[in-house]
Amino acid sequence: MSASRRSGTTDELGPDEPGQPRQPDQPEPSDRDGSDLLAALLDGMDAALCAFDADGAVTHWNREAERILGWTAAEAVGRRGLAGWAVRSADAEEVEGRLLSAMNAPGRQVHEFALLTKDGGRVLVRTQSAAVRGTDGRPAGVYCAFSEVHAQIDLERSIALSEALFEDASWGVVLVDADLRPAVVNAHAARALGTGRTSALGRPLGELLVQGVEELESALTHVLAEGAPPAPAEIWVGVRTPDGERRRCWRCGFVRLASPLAEEPVPLGVGWLFQDVTEARQGEQEASLLRFRGNQLHRAARAAAECEDPTEAATVHLDFALAGFADHALIDRVAGGTAPEGESAAPVRLVRLAATPSGAPGPSLLAGRAGLPVRYPEGHPALSCVDRASTVRAGVGSVSPEQAREWALARQWPGDAVHALCAVLRSRGRTLGVVTFLRGAGRTSFERADASYAEDVAVRIAAALDLAGLVGRE
């Protein structure tokens, strides 16, 4: 309980009883209300506080000071100096001199020294002292706020950590408010988002990211409601750059921020920390894809080796290659066996040899027993592939679904095809045909790594078809 020297102890009297005369030494109601307010303010402080008059006598002592040192307000108020009870007698002169020197010094002074507790222990404290001025402007005393040094150091470390995170951290740090809008953004996060530190503040996440916004906002909402997740989460996002949209993989950690001043936790927002792991994830995905495709080629070779008919072996290679790679596949054989060489060669005609079912999944089916050429228009990707003896990629681009279907049907492909990859079939220096892989709208377009895989498959299919020709002649 705080106390002032004027009243000796904190007032505990209630309102005047009716009919009782006011005592001459009883303070006016306004004075008593002011004293009660001062006592409440002092006791509600998080820091310990004591005050001295000009003669060095203790005039105020709050509950936090009592908690740290064990001396109650009744025991502390009125004592002259700190010697023998709050400070060792040998150190009292120096400590009191440093505290009272604040009366004649401008601003606040900070000191560290050891105080004694009521049970005889010692506590290292950090103090801030400043002069108390009277109505005439002259120093009338000193107030001293103090706290245990380790608590102050913890606070300073927390402040230093937050400043370092927002200035020098090598990963992105964003404070998101309860409305899921960035409140503070560090330099690394601003670069990752492709914006400035101040221009990102207060904007919806949908304006900063192209993809992944729903997943990120869902994670932030969960943290606000349930707390931090037990492990980091990896989120793929789309970021706007001067070169266009780029997909990035961010490993994200989340912590819920609550006010330390509230009796019950009040969420202030979410601390979002993230690191770009795109290169590592892409490398893992590529390695996994290469392992899968290598296993498929190995399994296809073992299965094809058990086929008596080399043509059936060619379709086995096609079926194994299709898994996870494309939606449809076609094998077209050059009419007459091999493509003619030379500039004066006649136009190439292709006969459909095998195709995957277009309606439902299943093994490839042999076709073209009649030997009728496929009605490919001039400039068709399959014809270009045979003419160039190299791989050709084609795509419909950004068009409506109706136009995409017309594009596919005009090229004698299934109506849902939007991406095509044609690989030439060559064996013993001759062009035997072309294998075409097709993808629907739910897949990405074919890339260079896909072309390399298709060429590996084409080599095996060409060898099987070449063997089939030799067996047929025998």
Side-chain angles (χ1 to χ4, degrees), residues 328-345:
H328 308 286
L330 314 169
I331 298 178
D332 294 327
R333 182 73 183 266
V334 174
T338 60
E341 305 288 342
E343 297 181 358
S344 58

Side-chain angles (χ1 to χ4, degrees), residues 40 52 77 169 202 218-219 232 249-250 257 274 291 302 340 365 398 407 464:
F52 305 87
V77 172
S218 176
C249 181
W250 290 345
L257 305 179
F274 65 90
R291 287 194 300 270
R302 290 175 61 90
L365 303 176
S398 300
W407 177 85

Side-chain angles (χ1 to χ4, degrees), residues 1 3 13 15 72 75 87 95 97 111 153 175 191 194 227 256 284 289 327 351 366 372 392 447 472:
M1 176 78 64
L13 300 177
T72 65
E75 294 171 323
V87 177
V95 171
H111 304 285
I153 292 177
L175 294 189
R191 289 193 298 270
R256 181 168 60 178
E284 293 176 0
L289 185 61
D327 297 318
V351 179
L366 293 175
L372 299 177
V392 175
E447 300 178 354

Side-chain angles (χ1 to χ4, degrees), residues 41-53:
L41 291 174
L42 295 181
D43 286 340
M45 293 179 61
D46 292 331
L49 185 136
C50 65
F52 305 87
D53 62 15

Side-chain angles (χ1 to χ4, degrees), residues 37-344:
L37 177 60
L38 176 60
L41 291 174
L42 295 181
D43 286 340
M45 293 179 61
D46 292 331
L49 185 136
C50 65
F52 305 87
D53 62 15
D55 296 329
V58 179
T59 60
H60 294 80
W61 191 268
N62 74 345
R63 286 187 182 274
E64 186 66 12
E66 178 181 344
R67 185 192 68 80
I68 294 176
L69 299 180
W71 300 97
T72 65
E75 294 171 323
V77 172
R79 288 179 180 260
R80 188 177 183 84
L82 303 175
W85 64 283
V87 177
R88 291 195 313 170
S89 300
D91 301 331
E93 182 178 355
E94 179 188 358
V95 171
E96 293 176 4
R98 291 163 68 180
L99 290 177
L100 297 178
S101 65
M103 284 193 296
N104 301 317
R108 294 179 295 176
Q109 292 187 342
V110 179
H111 304 285
E112 289 185 5
F113 44 76
L115 296 180
L116 293 177
T117 62
K118 188 176 182 179
D119 57 6
R122 301 184 69 192
V123 178
L124 184 62
V125 299
R126 177 174 296 180
T127 66
Q128 293 187 24
S129 55
V132 177
R133 304 285 177 179
T135 56
D136 56 358
R138 295 180 180 180
V142 174
Y143 79 84
C144 172
F146 63 91
S147 60
E148 298 175 82
V149 167
H150 70 82
Q152 184 69 21
I153 292 177
D154 289 344
L155 176 61
E156 292 178 0
R157 284 174 179 163
S158 299
I159 296 174
L161 174 62
S162 64
E163 291 181 352
L165 286 175
F166 288 109
E167 294 297 335
D168 306 322
S170 59
W171 54 87
V173 182
V174 181
L175 294 189
V176 182
D177 60 22
D179 295 330
L180 306 185
R181 296 172 182 255
V184 184
V185 179
N186 76 339
H188 187 97
R191 289 193 298 270
L193 292 169
T195 184
R197 294 186 61 180
T198 56
S199 59
L201 304 184
R203 297 172 58 186
L205 294 175
E207 296 183 5
L208 302 175
L209 299 174
V210 181
Q211 296 179 356
V213 178
E214 295 80 4
E215 186 176 358
L216 178 58
E217 289 183 343
S218 176
L220 293 172
T221 303
H222 173 80
V223 173
L224 282 172
E226 304 293 337
E234 293 186 357
I235 301 177
W236 283 91
V237 300
V239 182
R240 296 183 181 90
T241 66
D243 299 330
E245 178 186 339
R246 297 182 61 188
R247 294 186 73 243
R248 313 301 297 172
C249 181
W250 290 345
R251 176 179 292 170
C252 303
F254 305 94
V255 290
R256 181 168 60 178
L257 305 179
S259 173
L261 304 179
E263 295 182 1
E264 297 182 359
V266 177
L268 297 179
V270 177
W272 169 31
L273 295 84
F274 65 90
Q275 190 174 25
D276 195 320
V277 294
T278 307
E279 285 72 16
R281 290 296 164 266
Q282 287 178 342
E284 293 176 0
Q285 291 177 355
E286 291 174 0
S288 177
L289 185 61
L290 287 175
R291 287 194 300 270
F292 173 76
R293 290 178 175 177
N295 290 335
Q296 288 296 98
L297 291 175
H298 175 72
R299 294 171 60 195
R302 290 175 61 90
E306 302 299 325
C307 297
E308 295 183 4
D309 183 1
T311 305
E312 182 183 356
T315 61
V316 168
H317 283 291
L318 188 67
D319 292 335
F320 274 93
L322 199 63
F325 181 67
D327 297 318
H328 308 286
L330 314 169
I331 298 178
D332 294 327
R333 182 73 183 266
V334 174
T338 60
E341 305 288 342
E343 297 181 358
S344 58

Side-chain angles (χ1 to χ4, degrees), residues 409-462:
L409 296 178
R411 286 157 180 79
Q412 308 301 314
W413 292 334
D416 59 345
V418 296
H419 306 293
L421 175 62
C422 299
V424 64
L425 302 177
R426 288 185 63 83
S427 178
R428 295 188 296 156
R430 299 173 304 154
T431 300
L432 306 182
V434 58
V435 57
T436 302
F437 295 99
L438 302 170
R439 287 178 177 176
R443 294 177 179 263
T444 59
S445 59
F446 290 100
E447 300 178 354
R448 184 175 298 274
D450 299 325
S452 299
Y453 179 62
E455 291 167 358
D456 289 341
V457 176
V459 168
R460 290 162 169 78
I461 294 177

